Amino acid sequence: ADQPAVQRQISRCGSGRRCRQKGELMSRSRAFRILVATDGSSTANAALAAAAVFPWPAASLASAVVASPVDGGIGSTKLVAALDRSRGAIAAAAADRLKARWRDADVRVVDAPPVEAIVEEASRRRADVIVMGWRGHGPVRRLLTGSVSRGVVRRAGCAVLVVRRPPARIRHVVIGFDGSPLAERAIGLIAALAPPADGRVTLFTAVGTIAPSLPGLLPTHTRSALAVELRRINRSRVADARWAQVRAARDLTDAGWRVDHAVSAGAPLRGLLALVDSTRPDLVAVGARGVSGLRHLLLGSVAEGTLDRSPVAVLLAR
């Protein structure tokens, strides 16, 4: 019954990858699936709170998973029973929280290592996004200490929303945009949401510019001509970035978001974090690399750095 509406939307926006992604997200938004991972911790409770206020599409489905092995060499049936009761209490609390918004929300308790269980549950439920708390470590400690959140982020086949503290509302979103398919995917995910009346998105792009460091032995007129040409190239790169943002913003404005634009020269991560620091948005959205082969070990420097250093929630798009 939904197919004609989707086809009409695809026809309206034309052909190409961007429009196919938009049609796919619109189709998915009719049953947008959210999986919240919880272990009863403060950050997991923050994830539940964030899921409850997040502007998901109107027709969304939510569920939760409580994952931890309890029989791995514990040796005491009483301790196993106590741990099992604890997991049951965590699941019941999560169900109560989710059912306040989604009447049909359900919670599953899985006796398995958390990372594997969460990723498998997301796959089984065909989740569009996993929501979880973030207890990640900095760039040095993360090499020494494992993290369930980081493991899920690296291995998940869908988008992941990581939360440090529960936001009151999601009104301002910053999207790191470099023109890549995954950056377009991040825009598609935000466009599929239900924006609040005052919702706005800031598209951020870092542009690589050429520094005018010219050899001093060159004739003055040659140095002057080269400097003029380098300025022209840099201006052209900034203009191209702005125009790419304008094209990418159409889906967001169609969805009801007000869109601002920010283009800066320099390192992408540094510029993105500086913008987050100065504007304090409620959410940052960036693209993450794929999960095939060994690539799940590498999110990319911008995604990894944003997870480690962003003071606000981060949505990783795939």
Side-chain angles (χ1 to χ4, degrees):
D2 293 330
Q3 189 63 25
V6 174
Q7 291 299 331
R8 284 196 299 273
Q9 178 60 39
I10 294 174
S11 298
R12 186 180 70 82
C13 69
S15 58
R17 181 183 62 213
R18 175 170 166 270
C19 293
R20 286 196 300 273
Q21 288 177 342
K22 182 176 180 180
E24 176 192 353
L25 284 168
M26 287 187 64
S27 176
R28 285 171 126 195
S29 70
R30 287 168 171 78
F32 195 92
R33 293 177 173 87
I34 304 140
L35 176 68
V36 184
T38 179
D39 59 4
S41 65
S42 59
T43 53
N45 290 334
L48 283 165
V53 301
F54 207 79
W56 305 113
S60 58
L61 303 173
S63 58
V65 59
V66 180
S68 66
V70 297
D71 58 355
I74 291 176
S76 167
T77 56
K78 289 185 178 180
L79 183 54
V80 169
L83 290 173
D84 205 40
R85 286 194 298 272
S86 175
R87 295 192 310 176
I90 292 169
D96 288 344
R97 192 67 179 264
L98 293 179
K99 284 176 182 285
R101 177 168 178 177
W102 297 277
R103 184 179 58 186
D104 298 327
D106 68 292
V107 182
R108 185 167 180 243
V109 177
V110 181
D111 185 5
V115 174
E116 291 80 358
I118 294 167
V119 172
E120 174 59 30
E121 187 70 6
S123 176
R124 188 181 74 83
R125 291 182 182 269
R126 293 184 297 166
D128 294 292
V129 62
I130 299 170
V131 184
M132 62 190 313
W134 183 250
R135 292 194 297 266
H137 304 293
V140 176
R141 287 187 61 199
R142 74 163 181 257
L143 300 177
L144 307 175
T145 309
S147 164
V148 171
S149 304
R150 195 180 299 278
V152 171
V153 163
R154 286 175 171 170
R155 295 181 54 181
C158 63
V160 182
L161 172 63
V162 293
V163 179
R164 285 182 169 85
R165 59 186 63 86
R169 290 180 63 198
I170 302 295
R171 290 176 292 185
H172 181 201
V173 181
V174 168
I175 302 178
F177 181 73
D178 60 3
S180 69
L182 282 172
E184 291 180 356
R185 184 69 175 170
I187 287 177
L189 281 168
I190 301 303
L193 301 179
D198 55 351
R200 66 187 177 101
V201 170
T202 300
L203 289 178
F204 170 80
T205 303
V207 178
T209 55
I210 305 172
S213 54
L214 302 174
L217 296 178
L218 289 175
T220 302
H221 69 277
T222 302
R223 286 168 54 84
S224 177
L226 286 173
V228 168
E229 179 60 15
L230 289 179
R231 286 195 294 271
R232 186 196 66 78
I233 292 172
N234 289 338
R235 285 196 300 270
S236 177
R237 289 182 177 183
V238 171
D240 288 346
R242 291 188 182 280
W243 178 236
Q245 284 189 355
V246 169
R247 293 196 305 269
R250 290 170 185 164
D251 288 351
L252 295 166
T253 54
D254 286 350
W257 293 95
R258 179 168 66 84
V259 180
D260 299 325
H261 301 269
V263 177
S264 73
L269 177 59
R270 185 183 304 126
L272 179 61
L273 292 174
L275 178 64
V276 170
D277 230 24
S278 63
T279 63
R280 287 291 167 164
D282 305 299
L283 176 70
V284 180
V286 295
R289 290 184 180 174
V291 295
S292 61
L294 293 177
R295 286 191 301 164
H296 71 272
L297 299 176
L298 299 170
L299 288 173
S301 59
V302 173
E304 193 88 53
T306 303
L307 282 172
D308 283 327
R309 298 165 59 184
S310 171
V312 301
V314 177
L315 177 65
L316 283 151
R318 283 195 170 90

